[in-house]
Amino acid sequence: MTSRTKIDALLRSAKPGIEVTVKGWVRTKRGNKNVNFIALNDGSTIHSLQIVADPTIISEETLKQVTTGASIAATGMLVESRGAGQSVEIHADSIEVLGIADPEKYPLQPKKHSFEFLREIAHLRPRTNTFGAVFRIRHAMAYAVHHFFNSKGFCYWHTPFITGSDAEGAGEMFRVSALDPKNPPLTEDGEVDYKQDFFEKETNLTVSGQLEGELGAMALSDIYTFGPTFRAENSNTTRHLAEFWMIEPEMAFYDLNDNMDLAEEFLKYLIQYALENCADDLAFLEKRLLDEEKTKPAIERSEMSLTDKLKFVLENDFVRLTYTEAIDILRNSKPNKKKKFQFPIEGWGTDLQSEHERYLVEKHFKKPVILVDYPTEIKAFYMRQNDDGKTVAAMDILFPGIGEIVGGSQREERLDKLTGLMDKMGVPQDELDWYLDTRRYGSAPHSGFGLGFERMILFITGMTNIRDVIPFPRTPGSASF
Ligand code: ATP
Ligand code: MN
């Protein structure tokens, strides 16, 4: 058997005049009784390859089974194509149907399906052009993440998915238990006795690898995590998943400015990598977005194409300003004065909502924004307390169309300050004794941040719903596949 060539490799280094075998899934078949044209896609590229099948060579019985969705192997001569839009095609000597797809039942017809419908068939949607492109880019971005940190001497640090502390995510964690829910052992008070559970304590799925990430940084200097993160928050938005992937670098001896510099360089690197390595898929998604924009009323249409947006972020410095400055801008903004915000900006100290973040980025600055020095009360206990006594060295990066894409901070390395805030916020010290040890022994200034991987993929692909950039989304009420 001739060995199989992937379509991507074939189109890149196509030399007409050789015999090749390709394997993939039929996108469409058209033609007449004299000739059939089969568009074959194997997922290695957005492009399908045309197979020309002559009914005097390929049996009618075989051709009947070559329908949309069927899997086939085709062998034949690679020749220059006379058709528009493709350089080469295969003139088939033989076609083997590997798996039929009953045209009466196959859910993916060769027409436009809505993303809502495709989410219901998430097991098949990777076979569409849009999802093929999104998931190839997702792969490329994962590779680029590792490449970026490896080239800077960071260590890929694996933090646990099962956590025994609920310091960070109280109330929004998924419980992990091996107890029989119908008949759990009880304490004398009638509570579930987790001492008899697998880990002999209450455990949950992690909401962040940061605390354990800090332990790595306090020994290896620079680490990053890249793994799944779980949040049982009931926010049914286009930017939240119950299971998402997060990249969390943590760097010893970095202050907040070093932290911001690294985050900006990292985001730009990922965009650059996509532009250089995912051009065909981006071109397809750019056109998709353009078509989608055309269906919107003129005032809502974006003036920039997908590539324009990516290049714009690449070529401009992110705006850096304090939370306090942002509040001033927002308080005096038109939508606030005209009461257009769902959550009006009244005073200093409240958390910013996504509508505020997007106003700053999309309307006011028209650039990515890094907000720093948030009020202590609305941020986590581990953020470094500023000298003003009311803010912490936090930084959030806000992106157009997305809102918050990165959340980070310089960490509080001073034991007394840290425990002081923990007490004030009601974070139990005994549970985090291991964490506090890093402040007791060889404590050092350090910083880190978390990038939501899917939010970055949203930005790069121009997709609008986070459910459409992860193969199998987990959201409230939905855990199929
Ligand atoms: P948001 O305010 O948007 O809910 P957050 O403040 O809860 O975000 P962090 O705890 O700082 O977010 O997490 C770091 C990053 O992880 C965020 O900047 C975002 O990119 C991503 N992220 C947070 N929650 C989710 C989620 N439910 N689904 C997908 N990504 C998320
Ligand atoms: Mn959140």
Side-chain angles (χ1 to χ4, degrees), residues 172 231 233 235 240 404 455:
E172 54 176 53
R231 296 191 185 176
E233 51 191 348
S235 38
H240 289 90
E404 181 189 330
R455 293 206 186 159

Side-chain angles (χ1 to χ4, degrees), residues 55-98:
T56 62
I57 302 173
I58 311 295
S59 76
E60 193 188 323
E61 199 186 335
T62 299
L63 283 173
K64 241 169 92 184
Q65 294 187 334
V66 176
T67 57
T68 297
S71 163
I72 67 168
T75 301
M77 193 62 80
L78 189 69
V79 299
E80 250 168 71
S81 177
R82 271 175 292 161
Q86 65 220 356
S87 54
V88 288
E89 61 191 22
I90 288 176
H91 289 186
D93 296 326
S94 71
I95 289 180
E96 187 191 348
V97 176
L98 304 172

Side-chain angles (χ1 to χ4, degrees), residues 1-5 7 10 19-24 26 38 40 49-53 58 62 66 71-77 90-98:
M1 198 194 87
T2 336
S3 72
R4 174 232 188 167
T5 310
I7 292 171
L10 216 157
E19 170 116 340
V20 292
T21 295
V22 290
K23 296 180 181 183
V26 175
I38 302 160
L40 192 73
L49 184 67
Q50 176 154 288
I51 317 278
V52 183
I58 311 295
T62 299
V66 176
S71 163
I72 67 168
T75 301
M77 193 62 80
I90 288 176
H91 289 186
D93 296 326
S94 71
I95 289 180
E96 187 191 348
V97 176
L98 304 172

Side-chain angles (χ1 to χ4, degrees), residues 231 233 239-241 244 246 404-407 450 452 455 466:
R231 296 191 185 176
E233 51 191 348
R239 296 167 298 104
H240 289 90
L241 290 163
F244 64 100
M246 186 144 65
E404 181 189 330
I405 195 161
V406 161
R455 293 206 186 159
I466 200 163

Side-chain angles (χ1 to χ4, degrees), residues 153-159 209-225 248-254 259 262 409 411 434-435 438-439 441-449:
F154 281 55
C155 202
Y156 183 23
W157 176 250
H158 293 108
T159 51
Q210 183 205 312
L211 299 187
E212 291 93 347
E214 287 186 47
L215 310 183
M218 286 296 107
L220 302 166
S221 278
D222 300 324
I223 63 94
Y224 70 105
T225 73
E248 293 180 280
E250 197 67 41
M251 297 74 63
F253 317 113
Y254 270 49
N259 201 20
L262 182 77
S409 67
R411 317 306 188 190
W434 48 272
Y435 179 73
T438 52
R439 274 61 169 180
Y441 311 117
S443 189
H446 62 289
S447 299
F449 62 85

